[in-house]
PDB file of all heavy atoms in Angstrom:
ATOM      1  N   ASP A   1     -22.042   2.371  40.981  1.00 92.00           N
ATOM      2  CA  ASP A   1     -20.762   1.842  40.659  1.00 92.00           C
ATOM      3  C   ASP A   1     -20.783   0.398  40.461  1.00 92.00           C
ATOM      4  O   ASP A   1     -21.057  -0.353  41.456  1.00 92.00           O
ATOM      5  CB  ASP A   1     -19.773   2.247  41.774  1.00 92.00           C
ATOM      6  CG  ASP A   1     -18.206   1.879  41.412  1.00 92.00           C
ATOM      7  OD1 ASP A   1     -18.124   0.976  40.501  1.00 92.00           O
ATOM      8  OD2 ASP A   1     -17.369   2.487  42.097  1.00 92.00           O
ATOM      9  N   PRO A   2     -20.525  -0.247  39.314  1.00 95.00           N
ATOM     10  CA  PRO A   2     -20.623  -1.643  39.156  1.00 95.00           C
ATOM     11  C   PRO A   2     -19.741  -2.387  40.183  1.00 95.00           C
ATOM     12  O   PRO A   2     -20.073  -3.540  40.611  1.00 95.00           O
ATOM     13  CB  PRO A   2     -20.148  -1.835  37.754  1.00 95.00           C
ATOM     14  CG  PRO A   2     -20.363  -0.635  37.067  1.00 95.00           C
ATOM     15  CD  PRO A   2     -20.164   0.509  38.096  1.00 95.00           C
ATOM     16  N   GLU A   3     -18.651  -1.813  40.549  1.00 93.00           N
ATOM     17  CA  GLU A   3     -17.684  -2.564  41.422  1.00 93.00           C
ATOM     18  C   GLU A   3     -18.222  -2.611  42.901  1.00 93.00           C
ATOM     19  O   GLU A   3     -17.755  -3.425  43.630  1.00 93.00           O
ATOM     20  CB  GLU A   3     -16.288  -1.845  41.445  1.00 93.00           C
ATOM     21  CG  GLU A   3     -15.581  -1.956  40.112  1.00 93.00           C
ATOM     22  CD  GLU A   3     -14.243  -1.359  40.130  1.00 93.00           C
ATOM     23  OE1 GLU A   3     -13.573  -1.471  41.201  1.00 93.00           O
ATOM     24  OE2 GLU A   3     -13.868  -0.852  39.042  1.00 93.00           O
ATOM     25  N   GLU A   4     -19.298  -1.795  43.168  1.00 90.00           N
ATOM     26  CA  GLU A   4     -19.821  -1.775  44.531  1.00 90.00           C
ATOM     27  C   GLU A   4     -21.169  -2.208  44.571  1.00 90.00           C
ATOM     28  O   GLU A   4     -21.911  -2.151  45.558  1.00 90.00           O
ATOM     29  CB  GLU A   4     -19.734  -0.340  45.067  1.00 90.00           C
ATOM     30  CG  GLU A   4     -18.357   0.187  45.220  1.00 90.00           C
ATOM     31  CD  GLU A   4     -18.192   1.610  45.686  1.00 90.00           C
ATOM     32  OE1 GLU A   4     -19.196   2.175  46.080  1.00 90.00           O
ATOM     33  OE2 GLU A   4     -17.143   2.139  45.732  1.00 90.00           O
ATOM     34  N   MET A   5     -21.632  -2.883  43.482  1.00 91.00           N
ATOM     35  CA  MET A   5     -23.045  -3.320  43.417  1.00 91.00           C
ATOM     36  C   MET A   5     -23.310  -4.443  44.309  1.00 91.00           C
ATOM     37  O   MET A   5     -22.450  -5.372  44.451  1.00 91.00           O
ATOM     38  CB  MET A   5     -23.451  -3.668  41.989  1.00 91.00           C
ATOM     39  CG  MET A   5     -24.925  -3.836  41.871  1.00 91.00           C
ATOM     40  SD  MET A   5     -25.384  -4.024  40.174  1.00 91.00           S
ATOM     41  CE  MET A   5     -24.709  -2.466  39.478  1.00 91.00           C
ATOM     42  N   LEU A   6     -24.402  -4.382  44.920  1.00 86.00           N
ATOM     43  CA  LEU A   6     -24.856  -5.505  45.902  1.00 86.00           C
ATOM     44  C   LEU A   6     -25.235  -6.744  45.066  1.00 86.00           C
ATOM     45  O   LEU A   6     -25.866  -6.635  44.096  1.00 86.00           O
ATOM     46  CB  LEU A   6     -26.072  -5.090  46.641  1.00 86.00           C
ATOM     47  CG  LEU A   6     -25.927  -3.880  47.573  1.00 86.00           C
ATOM     48  CD1 LEU A   6     -27.268  -3.422  48.127  1.00 86.00           C
ATOM     49  CD2 LEU A   6     -24.916  -4.086  48.645  1.00 86.00           C
ATOM     50  N   PRO A   7     -24.768  -7.896  45.510  1.00 89.00           N
ATOM     51  CA  PRO A   7     -25.086  -9.192  44.773  1.00 89.00           C
ATOM     52  C   PRO A   7     -26.515  -9.474  44.906  1.00 89.00           C
ATOM     53  O   PRO A   7     -27.154  -9.237  45.968  1.00 89.00           O
ATOM     54  CB  PRO A   7     -24.124 -10.184  45.399  1.00 89.00           C
ATOM     55  CG  PRO A   7     -23.899  -9.615  46.746  1.00 89.00           C
ATOM     56  CD  PRO A   7     -23.890  -8.190  46.651  1.00 89.00           C
ATOM     57  N   VAL A   8     -27.097  -9.989  43.921  1.00 96.00           N
ATOM     58  CA  VAL A   8     -28.473 -10.582  43.953  1.00 96.00           C
ATOM     59  C   VAL A   8     -28.398 -12.084  43.522  1.00 96.00           C
ATOM     60  O   VAL A   8     -27.368 -12.652  43.380  1.00 96.00           O
ATOM     61  CB  VAL A   8     -29.510  -9.721  43.138  1.00 96.00           C
ATOM     62  CG1 VAL A   8     -29.662  -8.290  43.694  1.00 96.00           C
ATOM     63  CG2 VAL A   8     -29.057  -9.662  41.709  1.00 96.00           C
ATOM     64  N   ASP A   9     -29.659 -12.620  43.210  1.00 97.00           N
ATOM     65  CA  ASP A   9     -29.617 -14.095  42.992  1.00 97.00           C
ATOM     66  C   ASP A   9     -29.070 -14.521  41.631  1.00 97.00           C
ATOM     67  O   ASP A   9     -28.993 -15.767  41.424  1.00 97.00           O
ATOM     68  CB  ASP A   9     -31.209 -14.566  43.025  1.00 97.00           C
ATOM     69  CG  ASP A   9     -32.038 -13.864  41.983  1.00 97.00           C
ATOM     70  OD1 ASP A   9     -31.796 -12.644  41.748  1.00 97.00           O
ATOM     71  OD2 ASP A   9     -32.949 -14.470  41.551  1.00 97.00           O
ATOM     72  N   ARG A  10     -28.623 -13.647  40.697  1.00 97.00           N
ATOM     73  CA  ARG A  10     -28.129 -14.040  39.456  1.00 97.00           C
ATOM     74  C   ARG A  10     -27.318 -12.828  38.955  1.00 97.00           C
ATOM     75  O   ARG A  10     -27.487 -11.678  39.452  1.00 97.00           O
ATOM     76  CB  ARG A  10     -29.152 -14.409  38.488  1.00 97.00           C
ATOM     77  CG  ARG A  10     -30.134 -13.284  38.170  1.00 97.00           C
ATOM     78  CD  ARG A  10     -31.189 -13.759  37.267  1.00 97.00           C
ATOM     79  NE  ARG A  10     -32.267 -14.211  38.018  1.00 97.00           N
ATOM     80  CZ  ARG A  10     -33.587 -14.161  37.531  1.00 97.00           C
ATOM     81  NH1 ARG A  10     -33.811 -13.839  36.292  1.00 97.00           N
ATOM     82  NH2 ARG A  10     -34.565 -14.557  38.295  1.00 97.00           N
ATOM     83  N   PRO A  11     -26.538 -12.952  37.891  1.00 97.00           N
ATOM     84  CA  PRO A  11     -25.763 -11.782  37.361  1.00 97.00           C
ATOM     85  C   PRO A  11     -26.710 -10.774  36.893  1.00 97.00           C
ATOM     86  O   PRO A  11     -27.815 -11.002  36.365  1.00 97.00           O
ATOM     87  CB  PRO A  11     -24.917 -12.425  36.278  1.00 97.00           C
ATOM     88  CG  PRO A  11     -24.866 -13.890  36.576  1.00 97.00           C
ATOM     89  CD  PRO A  11     -26.155 -14.194  37.301  1.00 97.00           C
ATOM     90  N   VAL A  12     -26.312  -9.534  36.957  1.00 98.00           N
ATOM     91  CA  VAL A  12     -26.996  -8.358  36.532  1.00 98.00           C
ATOM     92  C   VAL A  12     -26.204  -7.810  35.269  1.00 98.00           C
ATOM     93  O   VAL A  12     -24.982  -7.586  35.347  1.00 98.00           O
ATOM     94  CB  VAL A  12     -27.100  -7.298  37.537  1.00 98.00           C
ATOM     95  CG1 VAL A  12     -27.632  -5.927  37.011  1.00 98.00           C
ATOM     96  CG2 VAL A  12     -27.986  -7.733  38.687  1.00 98.00           C
ATOM     97  N   ILE A  13     -26.858  -7.494  34.219  1.00 98.00           N
ATOM     98  CA  ILE A  13     -26.327  -6.771  33.046  1.00 98.00           C
ATOM     99  C   ILE A  13     -26.809  -5.468  33.020  1.00 98.00           C
ATOM    100  O   ILE A  13     -28.057  -5.199  33.172  1.00 98.00           O
ATOM    101  CB  ILE A  13     -26.561  -7.592  31.670  1.00 98.00           C
ATOM    102  CG1 ILE A  13     -26.102  -8.931  31.668  1.00 98.00           C
ATOM    103  CG2 ILE A  13     -26.039  -6.688  30.526  1.00 98.00           C
ATOM    104  CD1 ILE A  13     -26.551  -9.808  30.563  1.00 98.00           C
ATOM    105  N   MET A  14     -25.902  -4.413  33.161  1.00 97.00           N
ATOM    106  CA  MET A  14     -26.397  -3.014  33.282  1.00 97.00           C
ATOM    107  C   MET A  14     -25.636  -2.166  32.325  1.00 97.00           C
ATOM    108  O   MET A  14     -24.610  -2.491  31.687  1.00 97.00           O
ATOM    109  CB  MET A  14     -26.113  -2.596  34.673  1.00 97.00           C
ATOM    110  CG  MET A  14     -24.606  -2.540  35.085  1.00 97.00           C
ATOM    111  SD  MET A  14     -24.212  -1.676  36.685  1.00 97.00           S
ATOM    112  CE  MET A  14     -24.523   0.029  36.210  1.00 97.00           C
ATOM    113  N   GLY A  15     -26.155  -0.917  32.211  1.00 95.00           N
ATOM    114  CA  GLY A  15     -25.581   0.177  31.488  1.00 95.00           C
ATOM    115  C   GLY A  15     -25.550   1.348  32.355  1.00 95.00           C
ATOM    116  O   GLY A  15     -25.252   1.339  33.459  1.00 95.00           O
ATOM    117  N   HIS A  16     -25.902   2.548  31.812  1.00 93.00           N
ATOM    118  CA  HIS A  16     -26.131   3.811  32.451  1.00 93.00           C
ATOM    119  C   HIS A  16     -24.900   4.403  32.969  1.00 93.00           C
ATOM    120  O   HIS A  16     -24.803   5.647  33.124  1.00 93.00           O
ATOM    121  CB  HIS A  16     -27.198   3.620  33.451  1.00 93.00           C
ATOM    122  CG  HIS A  16     -27.627   4.875  34.154  1.00 93.00           C
ATOM    123  ND1 HIS A  16     -28.243   5.850  33.449  1.00 93.00           N
ATOM    124  CD2 HIS A  16     -27.612   5.387  35.416  1.00 93.00           C
ATOM    125  CE1 HIS A  16     -28.576   6.895  34.141  1.00 93.00           C
ATOM    126  NE2 HIS A  16     -28.178   6.594  35.339  1.00 93.00           N
ATOM    127  N   VAL A  17     -23.881   3.727  33.464  1.00 93.00           N
ATOM    128  CA  VAL A  17     -22.657   4.287  33.963  1.00 93.00           C
ATOM    129  C   VAL A  17     -21.541   4.087  33.003  1.00 93.00           C
ATOM    130  O   VAL A  17     -21.041   3.007  32.942  1.00 93.00           O
ATOM    131  CB  VAL A  17     -22.262   3.744  35.393  1.00 93.00           C
ATOM    132  CG1 VAL A  17     -21.031   4.273  35.931  1.00 93.00           C
ATOM    133  CG2 VAL A  17     -23.440   3.902  36.316  1.00 93.00           C
ATOM    134  N   PRO A  18     -21.176   5.135  32.186  1.00 94.00           N
ATOM    135  CA  PRO A  18     -20.178   4.903  31.182  1.00 94.00           C
ATOM    136  C   PRO A  18     -18.816   4.593  31.807  1.00 94.00           C
ATOM    137  O   PRO A  18     -18.264   5.253  32.712  1.00 94.00           O
ATOM    138  CB  PRO A  18     -20.065   6.285  30.468  1.00 94.00           C
ATOM    139  CG  PRO A  18     -21.279   7.097  30.913  1.00 94.00           C
ATOM    140  CD  PRO A  18     -21.728   6.482  32.257  1.00 94.00           C
ATOM    141  N   LEU A  19     -18.205   3.597  31.246  1.00 95.00           N
ATOM    142  CA  LEU A  19     -16.885   3.096  31.744  1.00 95.00           C
ATOM    143  C   LEU A  19     -15.980   3.152  30.486  1.00 95.00           C
ATOM    144  O   LEU A  19     -16.368   3.040  29.345  1.00 95.00           O
ATOM    145  CB  LEU A  19     -16.920   1.761  32.293  1.00 95.00           C
ATOM    146  CG  LEU A  19     -17.882   1.530  33.468  1.00 95.00           C
ATOM    147  CD1 LEU A  19     -17.942   0.013  33.720  1.00 95.00           C
ATOM    148  CD2 LEU A  19     -17.441   2.278  34.649  1.00 95.00           C
ATOM    149  N   GLU A  20     -14.633   3.126  30.706  1.00 95.00           N
ATOM    150  CA  GLU A  20     -13.757   3.158  29.508  1.00 95.00           C
ATOM    151  C   GLU A  20     -13.776   1.754  28.824  1.00 95.00           C
ATOM    152  O   GLU A  20     -13.443   1.604  27.714  1.00 95.00           O
ATOM    153  CB  GLU A  20     -12.297   3.490  29.997  1.00 95.00           C
ATOM    154  CG  GLU A  20     -12.168   4.977  30.320  1.00 95.00           C
ATOM    155  CD  GLU A  20     -10.780   5.488  30.290  1.00 95.00           C
ATOM    156  OE1 GLU A  20      -9.977   4.869  29.670  1.00 95.00           O
ATOM    157  OE2 GLU A  20     -10.608   6.557  30.768  1.00 95.00           O
ATOM    158  N   ALA A  21     -13.956   0.616  29.736  1.00 96.00           N
ATOM    159  CA  ALA A  21     -14.032  -0.678  29.158  1.00 96.00           C
ATOM    160  C   ALA A  21     -15.180  -1.407  29.854  1.00 96.00           C
ATOM    161  O   ALA A  21     -15.536  -1.043  30.987  1.00 96.00           O
ATOM    162  CB  ALA A  21     -12.679  -1.385  29.436  1.00 96.00           C
ATOM    163  N   PRO A  22     -15.680  -2.476  29.186  1.00 98.00           N
ATOM    164  CA  PRO A  22     -16.737  -3.253  29.966  1.00 98.00           C
ATOM    165  C   PRO A  22     -16.168  -3.865  31.141  1.00 98.00           C
ATOM    166  O   PRO A  22     -14.985  -4.087  31.307  1.00 98.00           O
ATOM    167  CB  PRO A  22     -17.107  -4.306  28.941  1.00 98.00           C
ATOM    168  CG  PRO A  22     -16.102  -4.349  27.916  1.00 98.00           C
ATOM    169  CD  PRO A  22     -15.401  -3.001  27.898  1.00 98.00           C
ATOM    170  N   TYR A  23     -17.082  -4.114  32.101  1.00 97.00           N
ATOM    171  CA  TYR A  23     -16.640  -4.606  33.461  1.00 97.00           C
ATOM    172  C   TYR A  23     -17.315  -5.903  33.773  1.00 97.00           C
ATOM    173  O   TYR A  23     -18.623  -6.025  33.561  1.00 97.00           O
ATOM    174  CB  TYR A  23     -16.942  -3.560  34.526  1.00 97.00           C
ATOM    175  CG  TYR A  23     -16.729  -4.007  35.981  1.00 97.00           C
ATOM    176  CD1 TYR A  23     -15.482  -4.075  36.562  1.00 97.00           C
ATOM    177  CD2 TYR A  23     -17.780  -4.470  36.694  1.00 97.00           C
ATOM    178  CE1 TYR A  23     -15.263  -4.550  37.727  1.00 97.00           C
ATOM    179  CE2 TYR A  23     -17.656  -4.937  37.932  1.00 97.00           C
ATOM    180  CZ  TYR A  23     -16.357  -4.953  38.529  1.00 97.00           C
ATOM    181  OH  TYR A  23     -16.148  -5.462  39.753  1.00 97.00           O
ATOM    182  N   ARG A  24     -16.684  -6.867  34.314  1.00 97.00           N
ATOM    183  CA  ARG A  24     -17.243  -8.040  34.802  1.00 97.00           C
ATOM    184  C   ARG A  24     -16.739  -8.315  36.179  1.00 97.00           C
ATOM    185  O   ARG A  24     -15.495  -8.381  36.401  1.00 97.00           O
ATOM    186  CB  ARG A  24     -16.935  -9.278  33.961  1.00 97.00           C
ATOM    187  CG  ARG A  24     -17.391 -10.610  34.546  1.00 97.00           C
ATOM    188  CD  ARG A  24     -16.937 -11.792  33.801  1.00 97.00           C
ATOM    189  NE  ARG A  24     -17.462 -11.898  32.444  1.00 97.00           N
ATOM    190  CZ  ARG A  24     -16.701 -11.774  31.306  1.00 97.00           C
ATOM    191  NH1 ARG A  24     -15.401 -11.621  31.386  1.00 97.00           N
ATOM    192  NH2 ARG A  24     -17.269 -11.844  30.155  1.00 97.00           N
ATOM    193  N   GLY A  25     -17.578  -8.485  37.182  1.00 95.00           N
ATOM    194  CA  GLY A  25     -17.125  -8.855  38.481  1.00 95.00           C
ATOM    195  C   GLY A  25     -18.208  -8.765  39.535  1.00 95.00           C
ATOM    196  O   GLY A  25     -19.156  -7.944  39.273  1.00 95.00           O
ATOM    197  N   GLY A  26     -18.154  -9.465  40.587  1.00 90.00           N
ATOM    198  CA  GLY A  26     -19.106  -9.276  41.650  1.00 90.00           C
ATOM    199  C   GLY A  26     -20.463  -9.613  41.218  1.00 90.00           C
ATOM    200  O   GLY A  26     -21.422  -8.969  41.795  1.00 90.00           O
ATOM    201  N   GLY A  27     -20.820 -10.356  40.201  1.00 95.00           N
ATOM    202  CA  GLY A  27     -22.134 -10.672  39.807  1.00 95.00           C
ATOM    203  C   GLY A  27     -22.750  -9.623  38.908  1.00 95.00           C
ATOM    204  O   GLY A  27     -23.968  -9.498  38.740  1.00 95.00           O
ATOM    205  N   VAL A  28     -21.856  -8.729  38.358  1.00 97.00           N
ATOM    206  CA  VAL A  28     -22.392  -7.688  37.342  1.00 97.00           C
ATOM    207  C   VAL A  28     -21.601  -7.663  36.190  1.00 97.00           C
ATOM    208  O   VAL A  28     -20.376  -7.959  36.107  1.00 97.00           O
ATOM    209  CB  VAL A  28     -22.390  -6.296  38.121  1.00 97.00           C
ATOM    210  CG1 VAL A  28     -20.987  -5.744  38.208  1.00 97.00           C
ATOM    211  CG2 VAL A  28     -23.247  -5.365  37.427  1.00 97.00           C
ATOM    212  N   LEU A  29     -22.253  -7.371  34.986  1.00 98.00           N
ATOM    213  CA  LEU A  29     -21.648  -7.118  33.748  1.00 98.00           C
ATOM    214  C   LEU A  29     -22.059  -5.776  33.328  1.00 98.00           C
ATOM    215  O   LEU A  29     -23.215  -5.509  33.007  1.00 98.00           O
ATOM    216  CB  LEU A  29     -22.039  -8.187  32.672  1.00 98.00           C
ATOM    217  CG  LEU A  29     -21.685  -9.625  33.015  1.00 98.00           C
ATOM    218  CD1 LEU A  29     -22.960 -10.447  33.083  1.00 98.00           C
ATOM    219  CD2 LEU A  29     -20.682 -10.093  32.000  1.00 98.00           C
ATOM    220  N   ALA A  30     -21.148  -4.768  33.265  1.00 98.00           N
ATOM    221  CA  ALA A  30     -21.437  -3.426  32.949  1.00 98.00           C
ATOM    222  C   ALA A  30     -20.949  -3.141  31.527  1.00 98.00           C
ATOM    223  O   ALA A  30     -19.780  -3.311  31.226  1.00 98.00           O
ATOM    224  CB  ALA A  30     -20.766  -2.486  33.943  1.00 98.00           C
ATOM    225  N   ILE A  31     -21.951  -2.741  30.675  1.00 97.00           N
ATOM    226  CA  ILE A  31     -21.609  -2.713  29.255  1.00 97.00           C
ATOM    227  C   ILE A  31     -21.734  -1.356  28.621  1.00 97.00           C
ATOM    228  O   ILE A  31     -21.532  -1.085  27.406  1.00 97.00           O
ATOM    229  CB  ILE A  31     -22.466  -3.711  28.455  1.00 97.00           C
ATOM    230  CG1 ILE A  31     -23.900  -3.433  28.543  1.00 97.00           C
ATOM    231  CG2 ILE A  31     -22.127  -5.137  28.811  1.00 97.00           C
ATOM    232  CD1 ILE A  31     -24.767  -4.204  27.520  1.00 97.00           C
TER     233      ILE A  31
END
């Protein structure tokens, strides 16, 4: 879940989990 992803040293751009809209928050961009 992008909203629960652990932070790392830089932002993470990810896919794999379909969302209704792209997500940005907590150091993750889910596309």
Side-chain angles (χ1 to χ4, degrees):
D1 182 343
E3 293 183 36
E4 296 177 11
M5 190 168 306
L6 300 172
V8 292
D9 60 322
R10 63 183 91 157
V12 171
I13 300 170
M14 68 171 286
H16 189 59
V17 177
L19 305 170
E20 289 201 21
Y23 172 82
R24 176 189 294 111
V28 73
L29 297 121
I31 61 171

